[in-house]
Amino acid sequence: MNIVIVGTQFGDEGKGKFIDLLAKRADYIARYQGGANAGHTVVIGKKEFIFHLIPSGILHKRKKCIIGNGLVVDPQTLLEEIENLKKRGIDVKGRLFISENAHIVMPYHKLLDRVSELARKRKKIGTTGRGIGPCYTDKVARTGIRVADLIDEKTFKKKFKKILDEKNQLLRKIYHQKGFSYRKVLIEYSSYGRRIKKYVTNTSLLINRAIDKGKSVLLEGAQGTFLDIDWGTYPYVTSSHPVVGGVLTGLGVGPTRIDRVIGVAKAYTTRVGGGPLPTELPKRLGERVRERGREYGATTGRPRRCGWLDLVLLRSAIQINGLDSLILTKLDVFDELKEIKICTHYRYRGREINFFPNSLRVLSQCKPQYEVLKGWQESISRIKSYKKLPPNTKKYVKKIKKLLGIKIALISVGPQRNQTIVLDKTLR
Ligand code: GDP
Ligand code: IMO
Ligand code: MG
């Protein structure tokens, strides 16, 4: 069975935990978009792993992991990730594959990311500074460097010279930066090329052949539906397609190969960086949820903004991704709250809005409408079965299920693998 896992909100929904958990039933785990802006956490006992580029299934020693063509790869971060895993006893040799067609994040992408953010002043996107936007910009402008170019020294040398001249002009004339030395970067990146060469292959062929042989692939989304370049709160978005559509172009697999699409939703909403968060909590309550939920970015350490669960977002995410079920995470974070609110719809100029508006102007005039539910005020983090959850927790889950008309496949009550309540027995 080939399952796609997508974020339904603004990223950090807990995808990493569930990729790791579901990886045991898969042969391959493949990322399809984004780059080292992602931070996917897997917690096993006292050990915590944060993955940026390597798929979150790598801890399973016999599983193969794929970095698809839809990604932008920072080779320095990737090699660091491989090294760090090795130090912790995880060897990726023979089971990590990188697409020839993925794009390379160059030093000027990272610098351009930072300086263009500074230039935006108060209208900052709040990017992760990992060069994601500038690298995808070059991909679309057809001036990017791909993995296949990097590992072929002659091609890289030629392409890079021409591109760097242009980038240095841009950096010097518009952003008043020094620019980069051709020789220095050439030496550094040629060495990265030599080191990653052994992982590089035609990953679309690899996946399709595996599926032909009856193997199963777990497709790992990064970010979330509302950070999507088309479906997110543009321009406060990332530059790729976290939505399910990204799987097809980002890995070279057809829609008929996908069996299930499961969305991951946090029991509340968080967002890191700029852009609208309609159900954002007032300061004190927001801080309380942030502390309990440890809502600090896994990549940048920045505090995440917190809001109530927003069913308008989720309704749209279900539609855009064709979700068949949801994984509900971090329910335990509400353990202490007396009251919990759910945003059921928005009100806009006297009308009821059930689906997320595309226009930020309309969105800014939308007023979230809430239903208030009683909290359960006890710890649920050790509970293993749905039956044993407190009645008020069940009411919260049932409310979500009913108002969205979707199955809840799994419920997460803590970061550990075993802090999971399985409702969909086929995922056991
Ligand atoms: P991802 O980007 O979607 O993989 O999510 P992140 O790793 O950025 O953020 C999720 C955070 O929540 C991580 O620190 C996880 O260890 C943690 N986490 C995941 N599920 C749960 C849960 O059910 N309860 C609690 N308390 N923490 C969780
Ligand atoms: P995971 O995979 C949460 C946000 C940034 C910023 C916007 C654009 O861990 O869920 P970028 O660096 O991509 O150009 O930044 O997107 N962002 C994320 N927020 N989780 C992520 O990944 C994110 N990746 C990017 O904070 O608002
Ligand atoms: Mg994250």
Side-chain angles (χ1 to χ4, degrees), residues 176-207:
H176 313 293
Q177 298 290 312
K178 233 173 67 199
F180 291 92
S181 141
Y182 171 68
R183 266 191 62 77
K184 245 176 145 172
V185 181
L186 182 72
I187 292 169
E188 183 188 342
Y189 271 66
S190 299
S191 134
Y192 294 151
R194 286 191 294 273
R195 288 165 67 195
I196 66 167
K197 199 169 187 165
K198 57 176 173 286
Y199 305 112
V200 178
T201 188
N202 180 339
T203 49
S204 167
L205 205 58
L206 182 70
I207 293 190

PDB file of all heavy atoms in Angstrom, residues 176-207:
ATOM      1  N   HIS A 176      24.063  45.273  -2.253  1.00  0.00           N
ATOM      2  CA  HIS A 176      25.313  45.802  -1.686  1.00  0.00           C
ATOM      3  C   HIS A 176      26.074  44.771  -0.849  1.00  0.00           C
ATOM      4  O   HIS A 176      26.561  45.063   0.247  1.00  0.00           O
ATOM      5  CB  HIS A 176      25.029  47.082  -0.882  1.00  0.00           C
ATOM      6  CG  HIS A 176      24.151  48.026  -1.631  1.00  0.00           C
ATOM      7  ND1 HIS A 176      24.572  48.665  -2.781  1.00  0.00           N
ATOM      8  CD2 HIS A 176      22.859  48.389  -1.439  1.00  0.00           C
ATOM      9  CE1 HIS A 176      23.570  49.393  -3.262  1.00  0.00           C
ATOM     10  NE2 HIS A 176      22.512  49.238  -2.470  1.00  0.00           N
ATOM     11  N   GLN A 177      26.150  43.568  -1.380  1.00  0.00           N
ATOM     12  CA  GLN A 177      26.908  42.501  -0.732  1.00  0.00           C
ATOM     13  C   GLN A 177      28.209  42.286  -1.505  1.00  0.00           C
ATOM     14  O   GLN A 177      28.340  42.723  -2.649  1.00  0.00           O
ATOM     15  CB  GLN A 177      26.090  41.199  -0.740  1.00  0.00           C
ATOM     16  CG  GLN A 177      24.781  41.286   0.012  1.00  0.00           C
ATOM     17  CD  GLN A 177      24.980  41.381   1.499  1.00  0.00           C
ATOM     18  OE1 GLN A 177      25.739  40.617   2.076  1.00  0.00           O
ATOM     19  NE2 GLN A 177      24.298  42.330   2.126  1.00  0.00           N
ATOM     20  N   LYS A 178      29.118  41.545  -0.865  1.00  0.00           N
ATOM     21  CA  LYS A 178      30.431  41.323  -1.478  1.00  0.00           C
ATOM     22  C   LYS A 178      30.392  40.336  -2.655  1.00  0.00           C
ATOM     23  O   LYS A 178      31.198  40.407  -3.571  1.00  0.00           O
ATOM     24  CB  LYS A 178      31.375  40.772  -0.405  1.00  0.00           C
ATOM     25  CG  LYS A 178      32.658  41.566  -0.290  1.00  0.00           C
ATOM     26  CD  LYS A 178      33.486  41.104   0.881  1.00  0.00           C
ATOM     27  CE  LYS A 178      34.009  39.694   0.665  1.00  0.00           C
ATOM     28  NZ  LYS A 178      34.440  39.008   1.845  1.00  0.00           N
ATOM     29  N   GLY A 179      29.511  39.397  -2.582  1.00  0.00           N
ATOM     30  CA  GLY A 179      29.503  38.349  -3.613  1.00  0.00           C
ATOM     31  C   GLY A 179      30.401  37.185  -3.212  1.00  0.00           C
ATOM     32  O   GLY A 179      31.031  37.223  -2.144  1.00  0.00           O
ATOM     33  N   PHE A 180      30.448  36.166  -4.081  1.00  0.00           N
ATOM     34  CA  PHE A 180      31.183  34.941  -3.742  1.00  0.00           C
ATOM     35  C   PHE A 180      32.374  34.726  -4.663  1.00  0.00           C
ATOM     36  O   PHE A 180      32.336  35.112  -5.835  1.00  0.00           O
ATOM     37  CB  PHE A 180      30.241  33.735  -3.848  1.00  0.00           C
ATOM     38  CG  PHE A 180      29.187  33.729  -2.784  1.00  0.00           C
ATOM     39  CD1 PHE A 180      27.943  34.317  -3.009  1.00  0.00           C
ATOM     40  CD2 PHE A 180      29.446  33.147  -1.543  1.00  0.00           C
ATOM     41  CE1 PHE A 180      26.973  34.319  -2.018  1.00  0.00           C
ATOM     42  CE2 PHE A 180      28.476  33.149  -0.549  1.00  0.00           C
ATOM     43  CZ  PHE A 180      27.244  33.735  -0.792  1.00  0.00           C
ATOM     44  N   SER A 181      33.397  34.081  -4.121  1.00  0.00           N
ATOM     45  CA  SER A 181      34.576  33.752  -4.932  1.00  0.00           C
ATOM     46  C   SER A 181      34.298  32.475  -5.720  1.00  0.00           C
ATOM     47  O   SER A 181      33.910  31.452  -5.150  1.00  0.00           O
ATOM     48  CB  SER A 181      35.789  33.567  -4.013  1.00  0.00           C
ATOM     49  OG  SER A 181      36.592  32.501  -4.458  1.00  0.00           O
ATOM     50  N   TYR A 182      34.524  32.560  -7.025  1.00  0.00           N
ATOM     51  CA  TYR A 182      34.278  31.413  -7.907  1.00  0.00           C
ATOM     52  C   TYR A 182      35.086  30.199  -7.458  1.00  0.00           C
ATOM     53  O   TYR A 182      34.555  29.111  -7.273  1.00  0.00           O
ATOM     54  CB  TYR A 182      34.624  31.804  -9.352  1.00  0.00           C
ATOM     55  CG  TYR A 182      34.610  30.643 -10.320  1.00  0.00           C
ATOM     56  CD1 TYR A 182      33.425  30.006 -10.653  1.00  0.00           C
ATOM     57  CD2 TYR A 182      35.797  30.186 -10.897  1.00  0.00           C
ATOM     58  CE1 TYR A 182      33.420  28.935 -11.545  1.00  0.00           C
ATOM     59  CE2 TYR A 182      35.799  29.121 -11.786  1.00  0.00           C
ATOM     60  CZ  TYR A 182      34.603  28.501 -12.098  1.00  0.00           C
ATOM     61  OH  TYR A 182      34.592  27.441 -12.964  1.00  0.00           O
ATOM     62  N   ARG A 183      36.377  30.419  -7.246  1.00  0.00           N
ATOM     63  CA  ARG A 183      37.264  29.300  -6.930  1.00  0.00           C
ATOM     64  C   ARG A 183      36.874  28.608  -5.619  1.00  0.00           C
ATOM     65  O   ARG A 183      36.793  27.399  -5.527  1.00  0.00           O
ATOM     66  CB  ARG A 183      38.709  29.799  -6.835  1.00  0.00           C
ATOM     67  CG  ARG A 183      39.477  29.646  -8.138  1.00  0.00           C
ATOM     68  CD  ARG A 183      40.959  29.894  -7.905  1.00  0.00           C
ATOM     69  NE  ARG A 183      41.542  28.907  -6.960  1.00  0.00           N
ATOM     70  CZ  ARG A 183      41.850  27.668  -7.296  1.00  0.00           C
ATOM     71  NH1 ARG A 183      41.643  27.232  -8.520  1.00  0.00           N
ATOM     72  NH2 ARG A 183      42.382  26.853  -6.400  1.00  0.00           N
ATOM     73  N   LYS A 184      36.610  29.441  -4.613  1.00  0.00           N
ATOM     74  CA  LYS A 184      36.303  28.896  -3.285  1.00  0.00           C
ATOM     75  C   LYS A 184      35.058  28.002  -3.323  1.00  0.00           C
ATOM     76  O   LYS A 184      35.051  26.884  -2.821  1.00  0.00           O
ATOM     77  CB  LYS A 184      36.053  30.050  -2.311  1.00  0.00           C
ATOM     78  CG  LYS A 184      37.098  30.129  -1.208  1.00  0.00           C
ATOM     79  CD  LYS A 184      36.798  31.333  -0.403  1.00  0.00           C
ATOM     80  CE  LYS A 184      37.095  31.186   1.061  1.00  0.00           C
ATOM     81  NZ  LYS A 184      36.936  32.489   1.710  1.00  0.00           N
ATOM     82  N   VAL A 185      33.994  28.554  -3.924  1.00  0.00           N
ATOM     83  CA  VAL A 185      32.736  27.803  -3.971  1.00  0.00           C
ATOM     84  C   VAL A 185      32.878  26.571  -4.866  1.00  0.00           C
ATOM     85  O   VAL A 185      32.360  25.499  -4.563  1.00  0.00           O
ATOM     86  CB  VAL A 185      31.556  28.703  -4.426  1.00  0.00           C
ATOM     87  CG1 VAL A 185      30.257  27.921  -4.456  1.00  0.00           C
ATOM     88  CG2 VAL A 185      31.420  29.918  -3.516  1.00  0.00           C
ATOM     89  N   LEU A 186      33.634  26.753  -5.948  1.00  0.00           N
ATOM     90  CA  LEU A 186      33.841  25.625  -6.867  1.00  0.00           C
ATOM     91  C   LEU A 186      34.511  24.449  -6.135  1.00  0.00           C
ATOM     92  O   LEU A 186      34.068  23.303  -6.239  1.00  0.00           O
ATOM     93  CB  LEU A 186      34.706  26.064  -8.056  1.00  0.00           C
ATOM     94  CG  LEU A 186      34.952  24.980  -9.099  1.00  0.00           C
ATOM     95  CD1 LEU A 186      33.671  24.716  -9.903  1.00  0.00           C
ATOM     96  CD2 LEU A 186      36.066  25.381 -10.063  1.00  0.00           C
ATOM     97  N   ILE A 187      35.539  24.782  -5.370  1.00  0.00           N
ATOM     98  CA  ILE A 187      36.260  23.719  -4.641  1.00  0.00           C
ATOM     99  C   ILE A 187      35.331  23.049  -3.623  1.00  0.00           C
ATOM    100  O   ILE A 187      35.227  21.830  -3.549  1.00  0.00           O
ATOM    101  CB  ILE A 187      37.526  24.290  -3.948  1.00  0.00           C
ATOM    102  CG1 ILE A 187      38.547  24.691  -5.023  1.00  0.00           C
ATOM    103  CG2 ILE A 187      38.133  23.289  -2.973  1.00  0.00           C
ATOM    104  CD1 ILE A 187      39.718  25.488  -4.513  1.00  0.00           C
ATOM    105  N   GLU A 188      34.602  23.906  -2.881  1.00  0.00           N
ATOM    106  CA  GLU A 188      33.714  23.378  -1.839  1.00  0.00           C
ATOM    107  C   GLU A 188      32.628  22.475  -2.452  1.00  0.00           C
ATOM    108  O   GLU A 188      32.428  21.341  -2.017  1.00  0.00           O
ATOM    109  CB  GLU A 188      33.062  24.550  -1.096  1.00  0.00           C
ATOM    110  CG  GLU A 188      32.168  24.120   0.059  1.00  0.00           C
ATOM    111  CD  GLU A 188      31.378  25.294   0.667  1.00  0.00           C
ATOM    112  OE1 GLU A 188      31.761  26.465   0.429  1.00  0.00           O
ATOM    113  OE2 GLU A 188      30.388  25.019   1.360  1.00  0.00           O
ATOM    114  N   TYR A 189      31.967  22.984  -3.483  1.00  0.00           N
ATOM    115  CA  TYR A 189      30.834  22.225  -4.037  1.00  0.00           C
ATOM    116  C   TYR A 189      31.281  21.021  -4.867  1.00  0.00           C
ATOM    117  O   TYR A 189      30.570  20.022  -4.919  1.00  0.00           O
ATOM    118  CB  TYR A 189      29.893  23.165  -4.808  1.00  0.00           C
ATOM    119  CG  TYR A 189      28.853  23.748  -3.867  1.00  0.00           C
ATOM    120  CD1 TYR A 189      29.237  24.622  -2.852  1.00  0.00           C
ATOM    121  CD2 TYR A 189      27.521  23.371  -3.943  1.00  0.00           C
ATOM    122  CE1 TYR A 189      28.310  25.118  -1.963  1.00  0.00           C
ATOM    123  CE2 TYR A 189      26.582  23.874  -3.047  1.00  0.00           C
ATOM    124  CZ  TYR A 189      26.976  24.743  -2.058  1.00  0.00           C
ATOM    125  OH  TYR A 189      26.058  25.215  -1.167  1.00  0.00           O
ATOM    126  N   SER A 190      32.455  21.105  -5.495  1.00  0.00           N
ATOM    127  CA  SER A 190      32.946  19.937  -6.227  1.00  0.00           C
ATOM    128  C   SER A 190      33.176  18.795  -5.248  1.00  0.00           C
ATOM    129  O   SER A 190      32.908  17.625  -5.547  1.00  0.00           O
ATOM    130  CB  SER A 190      34.248  20.250  -6.950  1.00  0.00           C
ATOM    131  OG  SER A 190      34.015  21.276  -7.873  1.00  0.00           O
ATOM    132  N   SER A 191      33.662  19.158  -4.076  1.00  0.00           N
ATOM    133  CA  SER A 191      33.892  18.121  -3.065  1.00  0.00           C
ATOM    134  C   SER A 191      32.548  17.529  -2.584  1.00  0.00           C
ATOM    135  O   SER A 191      32.419  16.321  -2.424  1.00  0.00           O
ATOM    136  CB  SER A 191      34.707  18.708  -1.912  1.00  0.00           C
ATOM    137  OG  SER A 191      34.181  18.357  -0.672  1.00  0.00           O
ATOM    138  N   TYR A 192      31.533  18.377  -2.432  1.00  0.00           N
ATOM    139  CA  TYR A 192      30.201  17.851  -2.068  1.00  0.00           C
ATOM    140  C   TYR A 192      29.718  16.888  -3.160  1.00  0.00           C
ATOM    141  O   TYR A 192      29.173  15.829  -2.871  1.00  0.00           O
ATOM    142  CB  TYR A 192      29.167  18.968  -1.934  1.00  0.00           C
ATOM    143  CG  TYR A 192      29.403  19.940  -0.796  1.00  0.00           C
ATOM    144  CD1 TYR A 192      28.952  21.264  -0.895  1.00  0.00           C
ATOM    145  CD2 TYR A 192      30.051  19.544   0.378  1.00  0.00           C
ATOM    146  CE1 TYR A 192      29.155  22.164   0.138  1.00  0.00           C
ATOM    147  CE2 TYR A 192      30.252  20.453   1.412  1.00  0.00           C
ATOM    148  CZ  TYR A 192      29.806  21.764   1.278  1.00  0.00           C
ATOM    149  OH  TYR A 192      29.998  22.650   2.294  1.00  0.00           O
ATOM    150  N   GLY A 193      29.933  17.313  -4.404  1.00  0.00           N
ATOM    151  CA  GLY A 193      29.498  16.492  -5.542  1.00  0.00           C
ATOM    152  C   GLY A 193      30.116  15.102  -5.481  1.00  0.00           C
ATOM    153  O   GLY A 193      29.437  14.094  -5.656  1.00  0.00           O
ATOM    154  N   ARG A 194      31.421  15.070  -5.210  1.00  0.00           N
ATOM    155  CA  ARG A 194      32.111  13.767  -5.155  1.00  0.00           C
ATOM    156  C   ARG A 194      31.552  12.919  -4.015  1.00  0.00           C
ATOM    157  O   ARG A 194      31.424  11.707  -4.125  1.00  0.00           O
ATOM    158  CB  ARG A 194      33.621  13.978  -4.965  1.00  0.00           C
ATOM    159  CG  ARG A 194      34.314  14.459  -6.230  1.00  0.00           C
ATOM    160  CD  ARG A 194      35.831  14.399  -6.096  1.00  0.00           C
ATOM    161  NE  ARG A 194      36.345  15.341  -5.100  1.00  0.00           N
ATOM    162  CZ  ARG A 194      36.653  16.623  -5.366  1.00  0.00           C
ATOM    163  NH1 ARG A 194      36.525  17.104  -6.576  1.00  0.00           N
ATOM    164  NH2 ARG A 194      37.105  17.412  -4.402  1.00  0.00           N
ATOM    165  N   ARG A 195      31.197  13.601  -2.915  1.00  0.00           N
ATOM    166  CA  ARG A 195      30.725  12.835  -1.746  1.00  0.00           C
ATOM    167  C   ARG A 195      29.285  12.343  -1.873  1.00  0.00           C
ATOM    168  O   ARG A 195      28.918  11.350  -1.251  1.00  0.00           O
ATOM    169  CB  ARG A 195      30.902  13.676  -0.479  1.00  0.00           C
ATOM    170  CG  ARG A 195      32.382  13.784  -0.094  1.00  0.00           C
ATOM    171  CD  ARG A 195      32.626  14.874   0.922  1.00  0.00           C
ATOM    172  NE  ARG A 195      32.030  14.585   2.213  1.00  0.00           N
ATOM    173  CZ  ARG A 195      31.864  15.500   3.168  1.00  0.00           C
ATOM    174  NH1 ARG A 195      32.257  16.741   2.968  1.00  0.00           N
ATOM    175  NH2 ARG A 195      31.323  15.167   4.316  1.00  0.00           N
ATOM    176  N   ILE A 196      28.473  13.046  -2.651  1.00  0.00           N
ATOM    177  CA  ILE A 196      27.075  12.580  -2.738  1.00  0.00           C
ATOM    178  C   ILE A 196      26.821  11.682  -3.955  1.00  0.00           C
ATOM    179  O   ILE A 196      25.779  11.042  -4.049  1.00  0.00           O
ATOM    180  CB  ILE A 196      26.024  13.727  -2.704  1.00  0.00           C
ATOM    181  CG1 ILE A 196      26.127  14.621  -3.935  1.00  0.00           C
ATOM    182  CG2 ILE A 196      26.090  14.532  -1.425  1.00  0.00           C
ATOM    183  CD1 ILE A 196      24.905  15.561  -4.077  1.00  0.00           C
ATOM    184  N   LYS A 197      27.805  11.626  -4.842  1.00  0.00           N
ATOM    185  CA  LYS A 197      27.640  10.904  -6.110  1.00  0.00           C
ATOM    186  C   LYS A 197      27.082   9.484  -5.920  1.00  0.00           C
ATOM    187  O   LYS A 197      26.217   9.038  -6.676  1.00  0.00           O
ATOM    188  CB  LYS A 197      28.994  10.843  -6.824  1.00  0.00           C
ATOM    189  CG  LYS A 197      28.902  10.546  -8.291  1.00  0.00           C
ATOM    190  CD  LYS A 197      30.245  10.760  -8.963  1.00  0.00           C
ATOM    191  CE  LYS A 197      30.106  10.630 -10.462  1.00  0.00           C
ATOM    192  NZ  LYS A 197      31.268  11.157 -11.161  1.00  0.00           N
ATOM    193  N   LYS A 198      27.578   8.811  -4.917  1.00  0.00           N
ATOM    194  CA  LYS A 198      27.184   7.404  -4.751  1.00  0.00           C
ATOM    195  C   LYS A 198      25.690   7.219  -4.424  1.00  0.00           C
ATOM    196  O   LYS A 198      25.165   6.117  -4.552  1.00  0.00           O
ATOM    197  CB  LYS A 198      28.041   6.719  -3.699  1.00  0.00           C
ATOM    198  CG  LYS A 198      28.042   7.355  -2.315  1.00  0.00           C
ATOM    199  CD  LYS A 198      28.874   6.483  -1.373  1.00  0.00           C
ATOM    200  CE  LYS A 198      29.098   7.072  -0.010  1.00  0.00           C
ATOM    201  NZ  LYS A 198      30.061   8.174   0.047  1.00  0.00           N
ATOM    202  N   TYR A 199      25.044   8.283  -4.013  1.00  0.00           N
ATOM    203  CA  TYR A 199      23.625   8.163  -3.675  1.00  0.00           C
ATOM    204  C   TYR A 199      22.709   8.518  -4.856  1.00  0.00           C
ATOM    205  O   TYR A 199      21.504   8.339  -4.777  1.00  0.00           O
ATOM    206  CB  TYR A 199      23.262   9.116  -2.527  1.00  0.00           C
ATOM    207  CG  TYR A 199      24.104   8.944  -1.288  1.00  0.00           C
ATOM    208  CD1 TYR A 199      25.007   9.927  -0.879  1.00  0.00           C
ATOM    209  CD2 TYR A 199      23.990   7.796  -0.509  1.00  0.00           C
ATOM    210  CE1 TYR A 199      25.773   9.780   0.260  1.00  0.00           C
ATOM    211  CE2 TYR A 199      24.761   7.626   0.641  1.00  0.00           C
ATOM    212  CZ  TYR A 199      25.656   8.626   1.015  1.00  0.00           C
ATOM    213  OH  TYR A 199      26.413   8.469   2.139  1.00  0.00           O
ATOM    214  N   VAL A 200      23.303   9.070  -5.894  1.00  0.00           N
ATOM    215  CA  VAL A 200      22.483   9.677  -6.954  1.00  0.00           C
ATOM    216  C   VAL A 200      22.002   8.645  -7.979  1.00  0.00           C
ATOM    217  O   VAL A 200      22.769   7.813  -8.444  1.00  0.00           O
ATOM    218  CB  VAL A 200      23.287  10.789  -7.668  1.00  0.00           C
ATOM    219  CG1 VAL A 200      22.480  11.413  -8.800  1.00  0.00           C
ATOM    220  CG2 VAL A 200      23.704  11.862  -6.661  1.00  0.00           C
ATOM    221  N   THR A 201      20.716   8.735  -8.302  1.00  0.00           N
ATOM    222  CA  THR A 201      20.158   7.810  -9.269  1.00  0.00           C
ATOM    223  C   THR A 201      18.863   8.362  -9.878  1.00  0.00           C
ATOM    224  O   THR A 201      18.422   9.451  -9.513  1.00  0.00           O
ATOM    225  CB  THR A 201      19.911   6.428  -8.598  1.00  0.00           C
ATOM    226  OG1 THR A 201      19.540   5.484  -9.596  1.00  0.00           O
ATOM    227  CG2 THR A 201      18.816   6.481  -7.565  1.00  0.00           C
ATOM    228  N   ASN A 202      18.270   7.584 -10.792  1.00  0.00           N
ATOM    229  CA  ASN A 202      16.956   7.946 -11.333  1.00  0.00           C
ATOM    230  C   ASN A 202      15.905   7.419 -10.353  1.00  0.00           C
ATOM    231  O   ASN A 202      15.523   6.252 -10.394  1.00  0.00           O
ATOM    232  CB  ASN A 202      16.787   7.323 -12.721  1.00  0.00           C
ATOM    233  CG  ASN A 202      15.440   7.660 -13.334  1.00  0.00           C
ATOM    234  OD1 ASN A 202      14.485   8.007 -12.646  1.00  0.00           O
ATOM    235  ND2 ASN A 202      15.352   7.554 -14.646  1.00  0.00           N
ATOM    236  N   THR A 203      15.459   8.281  -9.465  1.00  0.00           N
ATOM    237  CA  THR A 203      14.601   7.813  -8.368  1.00  0.00           C
ATOM    238  C   THR A 203      13.177   7.492  -8.827  1.00  0.00           C
ATOM    239  O   THR A 203      12.489   6.699  -8.192  1.00  0.00           O
ATOM    240  CB  THR A 203      14.567   8.852  -7.219  1.00  0.00           C
ATOM    241  OG1 THR A 203      14.302  10.130  -7.776  1.00  0.00           O
ATOM    242  CG2 THR A 203      15.871   8.877  -6.453  1.00  0.00           C
ATOM    243  N   SER A 204      12.735   8.102  -9.916  1.00  0.00           N
ATOM    244  CA  SER A 204      11.401   7.795 -10.423  1.00  0.00           C
ATOM    245  C   SER A 204      11.370   6.342 -10.903  1.00  0.00           C
ATOM    246  O   SER A 204      10.439   5.579 -10.600  1.00  0.00           O
ATOM    247  CB  SER A 204      11.040   8.748 -11.566  1.00  0.00           C
ATOM    248  OG  SER A 204       9.906   8.277 -12.253  1.00  0.00           O
ATOM    249  N   LEU A 205      12.423   5.970 -11.617  1.00  0.00           N
ATOM    250  CA  LEU A 205      12.541   4.594 -12.097  1.00  0.00           C
ATOM    251  C   LEU A 205      12.578   3.634 -10.903  1.00  0.00           C
ATOM    252  O   LEU A 205      11.895   2.595 -10.890  1.00  0.00           O
ATOM    253  CB  LEU A 205      13.843   4.492 -12.903  1.00  0.00           C
ATOM    254  CG  LEU A 205      13.942   3.410 -13.954  1.00  0.00           C
ATOM    255  CD1 LEU A 205      12.828   3.561 -14.978  1.00  0.00           C
ATOM    256  CD2 LEU A 205      15.308   3.528 -14.665  1.00  0.00           C
ATOM    257  N   LEU A 206      13.355   4.016  -9.918  1.00  0.00           N
ATOM    258  CA  LEU A 206      13.505   3.180  -8.715  1.00  0.00           C
ATOM    259  C   LEU A 206      12.150   2.929  -8.040  1.00  0.00           C
ATOM    260  O   LEU A 206      11.779   1.790  -7.744  1.00  0.00           O
ATOM    261  CB  LEU A 206      14.454   3.895  -7.744  1.00  0.00           C
ATOM    262  CG  LEU A 206      14.812   3.195  -6.441  1.00  0.00           C
ATOM    263  CD1 LEU A 206      15.705   1.993  -6.734  1.00  0.00           C
ATOM    264  CD2 LEU A 206      15.569   4.159  -5.516  1.00  0.00           C
ATOM    265  N   ILE A 207      11.390   4.003  -7.850  1.00  0.00           N
ATOM    266  CA  ILE A 207      10.092   3.873  -7.169  1.00  0.00           C
ATOM    267  C   ILE A 207       9.124   3.064  -8.019  1.00  0.00           C
ATOM    268  O   ILE A 207       8.453   2.156  -7.519  1.00  0.00           O
ATOM    269  CB  ILE A 207       9.460   5.260  -6.898  1.00  0.00           C
ATOM    270  CG1 ILE A 207      10.288   6.022  -5.874  1.00  0.00           C
ATOM    271  CG2 ILE A 207       8.024   5.129  -6.390  1.00  0.00           C
ATOM    272  CD1 ILE A 207       9.646   7.270  -5.369  1.00  0.00           C
TER     273      ILE A 207
END
